[in-house]
Amino acid sequence: MKRLPFIILIIASLIIFAGCGKKEKENAREQDTKTEDTEDLSKPFVTINKEVFTKGDFKDFISYTNAMMDPENRDNKAVLDSLKEDFIRHRLLLQQAKKEGVKIDEKKFKELLDTFKKEQGEQTITEMQKQYDLDFGKIEELLRQRVIVTELLSDETGNITVSDRELKEYYEKRKSELSDVALAHILHIVTADEKKAREALTMMNKGISFAEVAQKYSIAPEAEQGGDLGYIDVSSYPDVFSEALKLKPGQTSGVLKSEFGYHIFRLVDIKGKVNSFDYYKAQLKDELYGIKQEKKLKDYIDGLYEKSEIVFADGSSLGSGLQ
């Protein structure tokens, strides 16, 4: 599990607050205030392995989710059960992280928060806190907890491996679902202006090799290899590359314009349609790794539930494990 993207995802979710209607938010906040007036947030909400969490702890945990949610959904039992499940899972993992002595690099964490504040601007954050009655200090603490959980789960999934035998078996299962791909061996030149492209084409018409012209005129990365892209799936490239498939092997195109510049193509060869193991190997390895990772995380979290004591103050219970 990669740490940085996970943190960015959590932080980015906070920006969604700005998309909520002001009137709706004010009505929701007024309703929350009425609820708080009649509810003692210091009362126990749930006890997990003898650690007591209050209604206030749960409210703080879900307040950011509630800020993004339509008010009418807050009383939905399925939504509330899902939030309870998330809270229990989160606290179980934090307890386990504490047992294992999981630490985070506070300096790097501070740098991430500073970057977020800088990108959003202090004024924007101040207005967000004021408009939606949010405490950025609590947001920071929730983010810190999420990062600790991520560190714990990263350690748990760090030793996952995918063998060649597993990969080939997975390929055979997925083979019929994989789309056929036309692979074409293409040489390519791209310039920033039409004049340069036409100069390049003129040089080739005079007998200078495509590779030599590409090295001199092309601004593409493959210019160093004489414009040689090797065998590529043209469908994964910009639309202009499909023009290369209209050529006969050995034929060179004219100057073609696209949003990226002015192109010249030479078709070397077409392999036809393939869905070979070698072509899809990297993709399938990522897929299989993700499947194994998900299962390992589910088994790990289910194991925490099985050996834990979870008691809600109102006597209710909650199903264990990931849904």
Side-chain angles (χ1 to χ4, degrees):
M1 296 178 69
K2 297 180 180 179
R3 300 183 178 90
L4 183 59
F6 181 87
I7 297 170
I8 292 174
L9 179 62
I10 297 172
I11 292 176
S13 69
L14 302 177
I15 303 172
I16 300 176
F17 293 127
C20 300
K22 185 175 182 181
K23 183 176 180 181
E24 180 181 275
K25 292 302 301 174
E26 289 174 348
N27 291 340
R29 194 182 311 124
E30 182 180 346
Q31 181 63 38
D32 287 343
T33 301
K34 290 179 181 178
T35 302
E36 290 176 26
D37 289 340
T38 59
E39 184 178 29
D40 185 353
L41 297 179
S42 66
K43 287 185 177 180
F45 173 68
V46 65
T47 301
I48 306 174
N49 298 323
K50 299 184 179 180
E51 184 178 358
V52 179
F53 298 97
T54 66
K55 291 182 178 180
D57 292 328
F58 181 61
K59 180 180 178 299
D60 286 342
F61 180 79
I62 69 173
S63 62
Y64 313 113
T65 302
N66 278 346
M68 294 182 283
M69 191 187 305
D70 291 335
E72 58 266 25
N73 288 334
R74 294 176 187 169
D75 294 327
N76 185 298
K77 185 178 184 302
V79 172
L80 185 58
D81 284 346
S82 179
L83 292 173
K84 286 182 178 179
E85 180 87 22
D86 191 25
F87 180 74
I88 300 299
R89 183 190 296 110
H90 178 70
R91 286 296 175 178
L92 278 173
L93 290 168
L94 278 178
Q95 287 181 343
Q96 189 64 23
K98 185 176 180 180
K99 285 181 183 179
E100 297 185 17
V102 176
K103 304 288 184 183
I104 64 172
D105 188 326
E106 291 291 344
K107 183 178 179 181
K108 289 183 178 180
F109 181 69
K110 184 178 183 303
E111 289 174 356
L112 285 171
L113 288 177
D114 288 344
T115 298
F116 168 69
K117 291 177 181 178
K118 183 178 180 180
E119 290 178 351
Q120 296 304 307
E122 292 290 345
Q123 184 177 353
T124 300
I125 292 174
T126 300
E127 290 175 355
M128 184 177 74
Q129 293 182 89
K130 187 182 299 182
Q131 183 176 356
Y132 304 125
D133 194 25
L134 297 174
D135 182 343
F136 197 79
K138 289 183 178 180
I139 294 176
E140 287 189 26
E141 178 55 29
L142 181 58
L143 290 173
R144 180 176 285 103
Q145 291 174 4
R146 293 288 193 185
V147 174
I148 289 172
V149 167
T150 303
E151 293 286 345
L152 171 69
L153 297 180
S154 293
D155 291 341
E156 289 300 318
T157 59
N159 60 350
I160 292 176
T161 59
V162 177
S163 69
D164 286 341
R165 179 183 61 78
E166 290 175 315
L167 198 53
K168 288 178 180 177
E169 289 176 356
Y170 184 63
Y171 167 72
E172 291 300 325
K173 290 180 180 178
R174 293 269 284 107
K175 187 175 181 180
S176 62
E177 304 170 16
L178 300 174
S179 60
D180 290 337
V181 177
L183 299 182
H185 184 181
I186 294 173
L187 306 183
H188 174 230
I189 291 173
V190 61
T191 64
D193 61 81
E194 186 177 5
K195 182 180 178 181
K196 289 290 185 182
R198 296 207 175 278
E199 286 180 10
L201 190 59
T202 298
M203 290 184 69
M204 282 188 284
N205 289 336
K206 291 181 178 180
I208 299 176
S209 70
F210 194 103
E212 187 176 345
V213 175
Q215 290 172 349
K216 181 176 181 179
Y217 284 93
S218 184
I219 59 174
E222 65 272 9
E224 294 182 4
Q225 288 77 48
D228 194 342
L229 288 168
Y231 282 95
I232 64 170
D233 173 7
V234 174
S235 66
S236 64
Y237 282 71
D239 291 343
V240 68
F241 280 73
S242 64
E243 294 295 321
L245 298 181
K246 299 177 182 179
L247 303 171
K248 295 179 180 179
Q251 188 177 4
T252 302
S253 73
V255 175
L256 302 168
K257 183 181 179 181
S258 83
E259 60 185 304
F260 304 102
Y262 296 85
H263 308 260
I264 300 171
F265 296 103
R266 177 174 293 174
L267 179 63
V268 179
D269 183 34
I270 294 182
K271 278 190 174 180
K273 294 179 178 287
V274 299
N275 62 351
S276 69
F277 173 74
D278 288 338
Y279 180 79
Y280 282 104
K281 185 175 181 180
Q283 173 191 327
L284 295 177
K285 187 171 185 179
D286 286 343
E287 286 184 16
L288 189 53
Y289 182 92
I291 291 170
K292 295 179 75 171
Q293 182 185 57
E294 184 177 348
K295 183 180 184 305
K296 189 165 186 178
L297 287 176
K298 184 181 185 302
D299 291 345
Y300 177 72
I301 294 172
D302 283 348
L304 292 181
Y305 272 95
E306 289 173 5
K307 64 184 181 183
S308 296
E309 183 181 7
I310 303 170
V311 181
F312 284 95
D314 61 7
S316 63
S317 61
L318 189 68
S320 66
L322 291 171
Q323 299 301 315

